């Protein structure tokens, strides 16, 4: 008889790591099925071609396409496969998942984010609900992430600071560029409060992990010092050391077999030679990132679950959310600064780590009084050289070439530095943003691919623009030029959540408050799929914290 | 960081010139390059070069390559303090792109077909093949092409790959002696890649461990 593991986890990113870490330390046998390769720290280098310009950390779309549904100018939904290229919603297919490639901007959600409906009321066309747990339920796990995964920063008191059980972060803030002080001064002049941003990057060594080496290449790159708090480095390595955890890379799960008792018995997967394999376990945890998690449930049909596992109420894949908002930027021009200041500004590697949360709650007549707002994070333009140079090709739609292009590129690299800001506000859940299975398009293994409808709510745009206009004033105060703002309903592929929302009512949610499927006794989902609303911050800290919370519940079940 | 993916360069274009999928195998293509004396110019050490099919036989001959090299030099000429396209082996780099099995046949054909369109435009304007134009005429032709919608799109892609050759790690066999990085005072970060984990090698390297 083949081995029966205590826990089988599908995926190995931020939602998976805490489960593997906690349960393997508790003496349970854990197997992780990861569809991608196992890339070790020594294989993460600063190669822009690999990290940013080709599909290396994500699948070849010819092999694993997705079908995207977008609205045309007539208001009709048009579906198109991306097999021949185009946007895709894959992230970090390797051991540790996309946590390897995050920038690690860590924000907690705030108490009001857990009760959006009861605090701000309904918004027409949006499926807003309160969470079945409170901030207080999650706070101990936010704190645990700070210690175990490693979060650096400085606590600054402000009007929307989340209640904390500890006074300070366990790791002091990372070193910052001179621009951070300038932002503080500019905000002060404007009556805003510039707040230090916590990062999931350790500023002093932790066990076998080195502190940050300020390589200047963080987001989109795997960390070569292990300072970044990826699931792979911060959690899975420790899980492996227990001897209770097994990681199987190149293992693409395509079906979860459930029995008549509504329990999952086996996970079926394609191995690296494309052979079909199966694995048995007592408890199954899916953390394959929101889109693929919903897809796997929808693929796992059985007599008791004719529309897909845990989908008898038809809600699997529904209420998918991203992060609303957009991007803004301005350029510090050499000619506007002293040589000394400009030289200091051009120092690479040092962080900006400043945000504004003055408008996390908007109080404005344009919104009829109080409304949910969001966060503005400041950062330098990414250091990727090819990307920066390629972006100089056009001037108001005219293609540049020859010395004109070369002069522009040279000037861009040596006579300016671009600062950007990112706006994070709620992507409201609606009936027009969901995952289903495409009827026709299959992946290389013959399994139906995810079809993603990418609708958004107009409120997302309104809030994004509100925040963006405020942030532009900071860039003006800083003396930057060519200030730009772009807010749209274009979904950021790396900030995805929902699809299997948790809740109290089994008719209105897929998971219970402990992220166990209402209808499937031994199935948990611990990536961002559980989130009914997303807050106005990046998701990773909350995913980690919730996964630690669920790990405790699973341990209780075993006991 | 809100990710902006940049992996797909050509797919947003809708050109009417695409052919149906080529039936040429990689073996046939390589044979054609050997005949044309081009095969040794591909930095084969890092190409993703398994079974592949991407151009029709004879589409990329020696004349086409000379035309490509000439166009690239106009797009990215040598100046006192900066490298030209040929200084960073931009033509060789583009051949490597064309040998990438992960790149779609459609995208590769678009690049190669553009060379024919350039020559056709030369004949229409000067009644001569591009390679028989003097350098002023060649420069004028590139200007004419860049003002056309198809030409702007095609040249834009050629420029993108020149820039990759200028600024990618020298292990990709462009950016000779780090000329591109030195020109722009660009710090590419550390650690630098190794040959076995370059694009084209990394997936196989990882899979064989």
């Amino acid at each position: 008889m083949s081995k029966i593991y205590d826990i089988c986890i599908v995926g190995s990113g931020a939602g998976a790591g805490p489960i593997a870490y906690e349960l393997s330390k508790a003496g349970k046998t854990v197997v992780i099925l990861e569809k991608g390769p196992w890339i070790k720290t020594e294989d993460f280098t600063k190669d822009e071609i690999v990290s940013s310009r080709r599909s290396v950390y994500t699948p070849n779309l010819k092999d694993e396409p997705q079908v995207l549904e977008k609205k045309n100018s007539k208001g009709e939904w048009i579906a198109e496969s991306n097999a021949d290229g185009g946007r895709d919603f894959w992230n970090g297919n390797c051991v540790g998942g996309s946590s390897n490639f995050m920038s690690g901007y860590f924000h907690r959600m705030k108490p009001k984010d857990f009760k959006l409906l009861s605090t701000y009321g309904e918004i027409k066309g949006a499926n807003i609900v309160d969470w079945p747990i409170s901030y207080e339920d999650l706070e101990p796990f936010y704190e645990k992430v700070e210690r175990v995964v490693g979060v650096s920063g400085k606590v600054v008191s402000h009007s929307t600071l989340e209640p904390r059980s500890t006074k300070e972060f366990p790791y002091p803030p990372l070193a910052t560029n001179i621009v951070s002080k300038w932002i503080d001064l500019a905000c002060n002049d404007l009556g805003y409060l510039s707040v230090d941003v916590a990062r999931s990057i350790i500023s002093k060594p932790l066990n076998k992990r080195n502190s940050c080496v300020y390589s200047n290449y963080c987001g989109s790159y795997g960390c070569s010092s292990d300072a970044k708090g990826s699931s792979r480095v911060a959690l899975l390595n420790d899980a492996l050391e227990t001897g209770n955890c097994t990681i199987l890379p190149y293992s693409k799960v395509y079906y979860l077999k459930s029995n008549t008792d509504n329990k999952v018995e086996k996970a079926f997967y394609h191995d690296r030679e494309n052979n079909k394999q199966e694995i048995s376990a007592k408890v199954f945890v899916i953390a394959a990132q929101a889109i693929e998690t919903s897809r796997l449930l929808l693929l796992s049909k059985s007599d008791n679950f004719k529309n897909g596992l845990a989908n008898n109420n038809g809600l699997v894949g529904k209420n998918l959310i991203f992060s609303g908002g957009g991007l803004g930027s301005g350029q510090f021009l050499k000619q506007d600064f002293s040589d000394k200041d400009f030289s200091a500004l051009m120092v690479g590697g040092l962080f900006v780590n400043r945000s504004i949360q003055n408008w996390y709650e908007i109080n404005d007549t344009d919104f009829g009084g109080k409304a949910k707002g969001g966060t503005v994070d400041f950062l330098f333009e990414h250091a990727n050289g090819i990307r920066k140079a390629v972006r100089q090709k056009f001037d108001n739609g005219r293609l540049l070439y020859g010395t004109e292009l070369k002069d522009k590129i040279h000037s861009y690299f040596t006579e300016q530095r671009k600062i950007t800001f990112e706006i994070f506000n709620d992507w409201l859940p609606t009936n027009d943003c969901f995952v289903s299975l495409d009827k026709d398009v299959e992946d290389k293994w013959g399994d139906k691919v995810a079809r993603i409808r990418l609708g958004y709510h107009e409120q997302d745009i309104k809030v994004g623009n509100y925040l963006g206009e405020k942030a532009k004033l900071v860039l003006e105060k800083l003396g930057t030029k060519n200030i730009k703002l772009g807010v749209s309903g274009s979904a950021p592929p790396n900030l995805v959540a929902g699809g299997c929302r948790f809740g109290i009512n089994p008719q209105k949610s897929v998971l219970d408050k402990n992220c166990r499927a209402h209808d499937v006794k031994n199935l948990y989902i611990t990536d961002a799929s559980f989130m009914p609303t997303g807050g106005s911050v990046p998701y990773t800290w909350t995913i980690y914290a919730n996964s630690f919370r669920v790990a405790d519940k699973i341990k209780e079940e075993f006991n | 960081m809100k990710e902006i993916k940049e992996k797909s360069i050509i797919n947003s274009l809708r050109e009417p010139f695409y052919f149906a999928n080529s039936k040429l195998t990689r073996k046939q293509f390589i044979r054609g390059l050997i005949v044309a004396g081009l095969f040794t110019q591909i930095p084969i050490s890092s190409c993703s070069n398994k079974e592949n099919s991407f151009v029709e036989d004879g589409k990329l001959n020696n004349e086409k390559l000379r035309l490509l090299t000439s166009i690239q030099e106009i797009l990215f000429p040598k100046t006192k303090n900066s490298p030209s396209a040929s200084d960073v082996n931009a033509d060789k780099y583009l051949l490597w792109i064309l040998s990438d099995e992960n790149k779609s046949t459609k995208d590769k054909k678009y690049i190669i077909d553009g060379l024919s369109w350039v020559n056709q435009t030369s004949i229409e304007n000067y009644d001569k093949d591009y390679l028989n134009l003097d350098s002023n005429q060649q420069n004028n032709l590139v200007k004419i092409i860049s003002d056309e919608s198809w030409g702007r799109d095609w040249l834009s892609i050629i420029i993108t790959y020149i820039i990759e050759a200028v600024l990618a790690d020298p292990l990709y066999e462009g950016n000779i002696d780090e000329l591109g990085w030195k020109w722009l005072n660009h710090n590419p970060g550390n650690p630098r890649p190794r040959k076995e984990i370059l694009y084209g090698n990394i997936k196989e390297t990882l899979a064989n461990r």
Side-chain angles (χ1 to χ4, degrees), chain A residues 135-371:
Chain A
Y135 173 82
E136 288 70 28
D137 293 323
L138 206 54
E139 199 285 333
F141 302 98
Y142 277 128
E143 190 278 330
K144 188 170 196 172
V145 174
E146 290 183 5
R147 277 183 290 115
V148 178
V149 176
V151 181
S152 60
K154 179 183 163 193
V155 176
V156 176
S157 179
H158 61 94
S159 60
T160 55
L161 176 67
E162 319 80 41
R164 293 178 53 88
S165 55
T166 56
K167 212 170 173 183
E168 283 295 344
F169 289 99
Y171 297 87
L174 296 156
T176 51
N177 187 282
I178 192 172
V179 79
S180 307
K181 284 183 183 166
W182 297 354
I183 292 171
D184 293 344
L185 292 171
C187 286
N188 193 49
D189 284 353
L190 289 164
Y192 304 163
L193 182 62
S194 166
V195 177
D196 286 48
V197 179
R199 301 292 291 265
S200 179
I201 301 171
I202 53 175
S203 50
K204 57 184 185 184
L206 169 63
N207 300 326
K208 294 176 182 172
R209 296 168 59 191
N210 296 310
S211 56
C212 180
V213 295
Y214 300 94
S215 73
N216 206 25
Y217 292 80
C218 195
S220 302
Y221 286 80
C223 185
S224 41
S225 68
D226 286 347
K228 195 194 288 186
S230 70
S231 167
R232 177 182 59 89
V233 166
L235 300 169
L236 298 183
N237 284 347
D238 282 359
L240 288 166
E241 284 192 2
T242 65
N244 295 324
C245 180
T246 303
I247 299 176
L248 299 179
Y250 298 107
S251 301
K252 168 71 169 71
V253 179
Y254 62 92
Y255 184 71
L256 296 174
K257 184 185 175 193
S258 53
N259 61 21
T260 52
D261 196 28
N262 289 355
K263 291 180 86 170
V264 180
E265 290 181 327
K266 290 179 180 177
F268 288 81
Y269 64 97
H270 306 285
D271 69 13
R272 76 173 69 192
E273 281 83 33
N274 293 322
N275 297 316
K276 292 184 174 179
Q277 305 286 356
E278 61 183 64
I279 219 154
S280 301
K282 294 172 188 165
V283 170
F284 287 81
V285 176
I286 312 179
Q289 208 163 61
I291 290 166
E292 284 299 295
T293 290
S294 283
R295 179 188 171 209
L296 177 57
L297 292 179
L298 294 171
L299 284 169
S300 299
K301 294 174 182 169
S302 65
D303 286 345
N304 282 9
F305 297 103
K306 291 189 167 51
N307 298 313
L309 190 60
N311 192 34
N312 285 346
N313 62 10
L315 285 176
V316 168
K318 301 295 194 296
N319 295 303
L320 190 72
I321 52 176
F322 294 89
S323 172
L327 300 162
S329 66
Q331 289 177 280
F332 291 105
L333 302 182
K334 184 179 183 182
Q335 67 204 36
D336 296 337
F337 294 85
S338 68
D339 289 348
K340 186 182 164 194
D341 280 352
F342 191 73
S343 296
L345 184 73
M346 293 296 271
V347 173
L350 301 176
F351 294 93
V352 177
N353 286 355
R354 288 293 186 274
S355 72
I356 304 175
Q357 295 198 314
N358 284 66
W359 317 286
Y360 207 83
E361 182 172 73
I362 296 169
N363 192 354
D364 194 294
T365 50
D366 275 355
F367 289 84
K370 286 189 177 177

Side-chain angles (χ1 to χ4, degrees), chain A residues 42-43 46-47 53-55 60 62 86 88 90 103 217 224 272 324 387 393 402 406 422-423 494, chain B residues 1-2 5-6 11 75 77 82-83 97 101-102 156 160 164 172 187 190-192 194 203 207 209:
Chain A
E42 60 268 27
D43 294 325
K46 308 310 179 195
D47 182 346
R53 302 200 66 78
R54 306 286 187 273
S55 295
N60 187 326
K62 283 187 291 186
D88 69 81
W90 290 108
S103 300
Y217 292 80
S224 41
R272 76 173 69 192
R387 180 186 186 215
K393 283 190 304 187
K406 296 182 79 173
E422 296 184 340
I423 304 159
N494 59 331
Chain B
M1 173 176 284
K2 296 198 172 187
K5 294 197 178 182
E6 297 179 276
N11 51 55
L75 296 175
S82 68
I97 297 294
E101 65 166 356
N102 295 318
S156 168
T160 292
E164 284 198 358
Y172 288 102
N187 181 348
N190 281 300
R192 301 307 318 152
R194 308 181 303 277
K203 287 194 175 182
R209 280 185 184 158

Side-chain angles (χ1 to χ4, degrees), chain B residues 153-167:
Chain B
D153 293 343
W154 183 81
L155 290 171
S156 168
I157 287 161
I158 301 300
I159 289 171
T160 292
Y161 288 121
I162 294 171
I163 290 172
E164 284 198 358
V166 171
L167 287 168

Side-chain angles (χ1 to χ4, degrees), chain A residues 388-390 392-393 404-414, chain B residues 76 159 163 167 183-184:
Chain A
K388 285 199 293 186
V390 165
Q392 307 313 309
K393 283 190 304 187
E404 190 179 16
L405 171 64
K406 296 182 79 173
D407 288 347
K408 189 179 176 201
I409 291 173
H410 188 263
S411 170
Y412 195 82
F413 275 71
T414 60
Chain B
F76 216 81
I159 289 171
I163 290 172
L167 287 168
W183 166 48
L184 297 173

Side-chain angles (χ1 to χ4, degrees), chain A residues 386-403:
Chain A
I386 295 169
R387 180 186 186 215
K388 285 199 293 186
V390 165
R391 289 183 159 206
Q392 307 313 309
K393 283 190 304 187
F394 289 96
D395 181 23
N396 289 323
R398 182 173 66 90
L399 180 70
L400 304 182
Y401 63 90
T403 53

